[in-house]
Amino acid sequence: MSPILQIKGVTKKFGGLTANNNISFDVNEGEILSVIGPNGAGKSTLFKMISSFMPTTSGEVLFSGERVSNLSPHVVAQKGIVRTFQETTIFKSMTVRDNVIVSHHLRSKANLFGYFLGTAKAKSDEQEFGRSADDIVEFLGLGDIRDELASNLPQGHLRALGIAIGLATNPKILLLDEPFAGMNHDETMRTVELVRGVRDRGVTVLLVEHDMPAVMNISDRIVVINFGEKIAEGTPSEIQENEKVIEAYLGSEDDAIGI
């Protein structure tokens, strides 16, 4: 596997506080890579810089060899790096299917004026987006509730809808923000399989997560950060045996890191 995403010496400072310090790692095409660390380790800040929702102080993020750090987030998304949020991108008053259709906007060929006038290009977009939405909804097991309002969905289906919204943008890399948060065991295992299915569709997956059993189950590789610095990188089995990782998680039960 070759790297599709490269994080090179990324640093973020807020005044005298260094949230991330000189972090480097590669994400290989076609893999699932997880970023973990104790609370306050700097995971969210790193994720925001990778998706360009926050500028770096120094260092750079390269996508297929092209620098994408500090570009506008929508430009980065158009290039193929798409970040999902836990629920903020979901329109609760719309149906599951309509949420996914609307999320195709980055792929629009017609402009807003064309949609207003109902031009041929706009109608073609609508037909294509409808077909694509139906495919994504079925793939993620949401076909039976496609006409259900998002406000009525349980936690597991909301997470699946969030992933569907991300897939609608036709990403090359999908950045998942705590995809297993708030789920029971059965919901987590179903979502683990969904994320694997996303990878099997040719989408590289980078996720930040606190659920260590799920991370150990799903990840090809894991990057661990603590106090804003990378302290380990490797396979799940290597991470479980890493003394620095165990020390970083001291005070938690051993189960917290899958041991």
Side-chain angles (χ1 to χ4, degrees):
M1 291 185 291
S2 58
I4 188 173
L5 189 70
Q6 296 172 285
I7 290 80
K8 293 190 169 187
V10 166
T11 296
K12 182 63 181 180
K13 295 184 178 181
F14 298 96
L17 173 66
T18 300
N20 288 143
N21 184 35
N22 195 31
I23 294 178
S24 298
F25 61 90
D26 293 344
V27 182
N28 296 320
E29 187 170 7
E31 76 173 340
I32 298 175
L33 186 143
S34 297
V35 177
I36 67 170
N39 288 333
K43 302 182 300 295
S44 295
T45 299
L46 177 63
F47 217 51
K48 290 174 183 176
M49 287 190 289
I50 292 172
S51 55
S52 210
F53 279 83
M54 181 181 290
T56 64
T57 301
S58 61
E60 60 182 1
V61 178
L62 303 179
F63 173 60
S64 296
E66 176 188 1
R67 179 172 177 148
V68 294
S69 44
N70 302 347
L71 298 178
S72 297
H74 76 277
V75 173
V76 173
Q78 287 174 333
K79 290 180 180 293
I81 304 175
V82 176
R83 178 186 176 187
T84 67
F85 298 85
Q86 291 191 20
E87 290 185 28
T88 55
T89 56
I90 294 173
F91 295 99
K92 294 293 187 67
S93 61
M94 295 174 63
T95 67
V96 167
R97 184 176 187 269
D98 286 344
N99 263 280
V100 181
I101 289 175
V102 168
S103 303
H104 284 75
H105 69 278
L106 284 178
R107 298 162 60 179
S108 298
K109 296 176 182 175
N111 56 29
L112 184 61
F113 194 57
Y115 282 104
F116 180 75
L117 293 178
T119 63
K121 190 175 290 187
K123 290 178 180 178
S124 176
D125 276 351
E126 291 172 354
Q127 291 175 352
E128 179 186 344
F129 296 164
R131 288 192 296 268
S132 175
D134 288 338
D135 173 65
I136 292 170
V137 165
E138 290 295 332
F139 165 68
L140 292 175
L142 299 172
D144 291 342
I145 57 170
R146 64 199 302 159
D147 297 320
E148 187 73 52
L149 292 179
S151 58
N152 297 332
L153 299 183
Q155 191 71 13
H157 283 150
L158 279 173
R159 287 293 190 276
L161 178 55
I163 294 173
I165 288 170
L167 286 180
T169 65
N170 197 27
K172 293 183 177 67
I173 301 179
L174 193 60
L175 279 59
L176 300 179
D177 182 14
E178 298 188 26
F180 313 118
M183 291 186 179
N184 60 39
H185 175 76
D186 290 343
E187 289 174 329
T188 297
M189 289 303 100
R190 283 196 294 270
T191 306
V192 163
E193 291 307 313
L194 287 181
V195 175
R196 285 200 181 109
V198 169
R199 187 267 306 276
D200 292 344
R201 285 170 68 104
V203 180
T204 301
V205 177
L206 174 63
L207 62 90
V208 167
E209 183 53 61
H210 287 286
D211 188 327
M212 290 303 100
V215 165
M216 295 299 167
N217 187 306
I218 198 174
S219 305
D220 295 309
R221 290 189 303 121
I222 299 170
V223 169
V224 187
I225 62 175
N226 191 30
F227 294 112
E229 298 192 357
K230 188 179 85 170
I231 62 170
E233 178 179 352
T235 65
S237 60
E238 290 170 340
I239 294 301
Q240 286 175 315
E241 298 171 359
N242 188 292
E243 292 295 332
K244 289 184 178 180
V245 177
I246 294 171
E247 182 180 351
Y249 278 93
L250 282 177
S252 302
E253 297 180 1
D254 289 343
D255 286 345
I257 55 173
I259 297 175

